[in-house]
Amino acid sequence: MDALTRFFWFCSGVHQPTLEKHPTDHNKYVGIGATIFFTGLFAALSGGYAMYFVFKGDTAAVLFSIFFGLLWGLAIFNMDRYIVSSIDKNASTGKQLLQATPRILLAIMIGMVISRPLELKIFDKEIRERLKVSYLNNQRSKIDTLNKAFTNKYTIELNKLNDVKAQRDSLSNGIKADRQKLNFEVFGTKTNETSGVMGYGPYAKRKEEELKQRQQNLDTLNSDVRKLENFVDGRKQFDGLLSEKLYTSKELDSLSNIAGFADRNWALGQLSFNTNGTPDTATAMAVTFIGLLFIFFECLPVFVKMMSVRGPYDISVGNLESSQIHSSGKDKDYEIEVIDGVHDTRVSSSIERKKKKYKGTPDQHIYDTEDKEED
């Protein structure tokens, strides 16, 4: 338990030798350190999950996600540790607020970055369904666009095909009606257009000859229709219309499974609206509150540090810093006085050596050596 306590102290960025002297502040900084640690842990999970979708499909996707997750978590942990430890509890309330404002803004941005990948995982099922709808609508729109372009490109051929089909259908209906009349004539059924006398008479023979001729015309029209349809199908195959079909349920499942981070992030944003474009208030509030939860969790160490009263540890740290500043100032004064005290002696010694050097004394080589050493 002592090792865990010291670990959380390290996470909070305190000066442990000083904190050990003040037991009443131990739990406060254990709580702050634990909050910072778990924020870094959530950041690691969030970054790893996001990176997994970036490299999804790669054989090393898991390794990349673990490496980046640890790196991202350590970066957020170090940043949070610095933010909390840099707030001076010995300063006035206004100064503390001034110190905390940029740190809180930074914490909000970090919370937003951390929360997004975790939100993607929380709403994974809803995101998949929204992606399926999007992919299906996009494919339908693509097919409609291709059909419209094909219709504009081959307007003459398509109009001719429709005209020939209309002639064929009209002739086919007429042949059916005339064949019925012929049967009535042969079997003696009395109508406005038949004699009512059973037998294969002159009227029936003439009618049958007309039907044969019209059947030949119908065969010709059917042949023309088949030729035009083959031409249109060939053009559709060439332009890619026949290869474009609406996705099946299995294909939509596969596409949603391999969707990247950008598509999933877009789908998460679309959850605030229904498929018909109307606002989905319940889902929008759920997404918003989850994001706010992570933002608050990221800002929590700063809030805890600011809300906590100044304890004996904070006073001791302030005194220690003051004494170190005072000691540093005295060290500066000491160095200045020493330099000033020896300055005149160093100057006079250098002057005497230079004079003896230029007079050419026997000990010139000794002074030259001293000059070199001094330089």
Side-chain angles (χ1 to χ4, degrees):
M1 187 64 182
D2 184 63
L4 184 61
T5 298
R6 290 183 176 277
F7 172 71
F8 287 140
W9 286 353
F10 165 77
C11 294
S12 65
V14 298
H15 185 254
Q16 295 191 23
T18 304
L19 183 60
E20 289 174 353
K21 301 175 184 178
H22 308 287
T24 56
D25 278 347
H26 286 185
N27 290 336
K28 179 174 71 175
Y29 285 97
V30 166
I32 294 175
T35 305
I36 294 173
F37 170 75
F38 285 110
T39 303
L41 180 62
F42 279 125
L45 295 175
S46 174
Y49 183 74
M51 192 55 59
Y52 175 75
F53 277 98
V54 173
F55 291 99
K56 192 173 183 180
D58 195 304
T59 54
V62 176
L63 294 178
F64 281 128
S65 62
I66 292 175
F67 173 76
F68 181 81
L70 291 175
L71 187 64
W72 179 245
L74 289 174
I76 298 300
F77 168 79
N78 182 66
M79 193 174 299
D80 283 341
R81 186 170 179 268
Y82 165 74
I83 289 174
V84 173
S85 62
S86 61
I87 297 177
D88 185 9
K89 290 300 296 180
N90 294 299
S92 62
T93 303
K95 188 173 181 180
Q96 288 186 46
L97 288 173
L98 190 62
Q99 289 177 341
T101 299
R103 290 163 175 78
I104 292 174
L105 294 176
L106 180 60
I108 291 173
M109 289 189 289
I110 293 174
M112 294 174 63
V113 172
I114 290 175
S115 65
R116 200 62 175 179
L118 295 178
E119 289 173 358
L120 293 176
K121 183 59 178 176
I122 293 172
F123 294 99
D124 181 67
K125 182 179 179 181
E126 291 78 6
I127 288 172
R128 290 175 183 271
E129 293 301 320
R130 186 54 59 92
L131 284 174
K132 290 178 184 179
V133 174
S134 175
Y135 291 148
L136 191 61
N137 289 337
N138 290 340
Q139 183 67 5
R140 185 181 290 112
S141 176
K142 182 180 179 180
I143 292 174
D144 291 342
T145 301
L146 289 174
N147 284 327
K148 185 177 180 180
F150 182 84
T151 302
N152 293 334
K153 185 177 180 180
Y154 297 101
T155 302
I156 297 176
E157 290 81 357
L158 291 173
N159 289 338
K160 184 177 180 181
L161 175 61
N162 292 330
D163 291 341
V164 175
K165 281 184 177 181
Q167 294 176 22
R168 180 197 63 183
D169 295 338
S170 177
L171 182 58
S172 177
N173 292 332
I175 290 174
K176 288 179 181 179
D178 288 346
R179 195 174 297 280
Q180 183 69 28
K181 294 176 184 179
L182 177 61
N183 291 333
F184 286 163
E185 179 68 23
V186 172
F187 293 104
T189 302
K190 178 63 177 175
T191 65
N192 293 331
E193 298 181 357
T194 59
S195 62
V197 179
M198 182 181 295
Y200 194 75
Y203 177 80
K205 291 180 180 180
R206 186 174 67 255
K207 204 69 175 175
E208 186 175 17
E209 291 297 328
E210 292 177 357
L211 285 173
K212 288 181 180 179
Q213 182 62 41
R214 297 178 70 184
Q215 183 64 46
Q216 291 177 358
N217 295 336
L218 179 62
D219 292 340
T220 301
L221 288 175
N222 283 328
S223 177
D224 293 340
V225 168
R226 285 193 295 271
K227 290 179 180 178
L228 289 171
E229 287 179 339
N230 289 335
F231 171 79
V232 171
D233 290 341
R235 293 293 90 189
K236 285 183 177 181
Q237 182 70 35
F238 179 79
D239 290 348
L241 264 72
L242 298 181
S243 60
E244 295 292 340
K245 298 179 181 179
L246 291 177
Y247 295 127
T248 63
S249 297
K250 187 175 181 180
E251 289 173 334
L252 289 173
D253 289 336
S254 177
L255 287 172
S256 63
N257 287 333
I258 63 174
F261 184 83
D263 285 350
R264 296 175 64 82
N265 184 59
W266 171 86
L268 178 60
Q270 294 299 310
L271 291 182
S272 300
F273 303 92
N274 295 312
T275 53
N276 59 3
T278 58
D280 187 349
T281 307
T283 305
M285 291 181 63
V287 174
T288 301
F289 280 122
I290 289 176
L292 291 175
L293 175 64
F294 283 102
I295 292 173
F296 175 77
F297 189 76
E298 174 62 29
C299 297
L300 188 59
V302 180
F303 292 153
V304 170
K305 184 69 177 288
M306 289 188 60
M307 290 186 298
S308 62
V309 296
R310 188 174 66 159
Y313 166 76
D314 300 308
I315 297 174
S316 296
V317 169
N319 294 336
L320 181 60
E321 289 178 350
S322 297
S323 63
Q324 288 176 346
I325 292 173
H326 181 73
S327 176
S328 176
K330 291 300 181 182
D331 290 340
K332 175 184 176 182
D333 295 338
Y334 166 78
E335 293 294 337
I336 291 174
E337 290 181 8
V338 170
I339 292 173
D340 290 342
V342 302
H343 179 69
D344 293 338
T345 304
R346 291 174 62 187
V347 171
S348 60
S349 299
S350 297
I351 291 173
E352 290 298 326
R353 284 197 300 271
K354 293 291 184 181
K355 287 180 178 181
K356 291 180 180 181
K357 175 181 177 182
Y358 289 115
K359 289 179 179 180
T361 59
D363 296 332
Q364 180 180 350
H365 66 282
I366 297 176
Y367 301 131
D368 291 341
T369 303
E370 291 179 351
D371 290 339
K372 291 180 180 179
E373 290 176 354
E374 182 178 352
D375 293 340

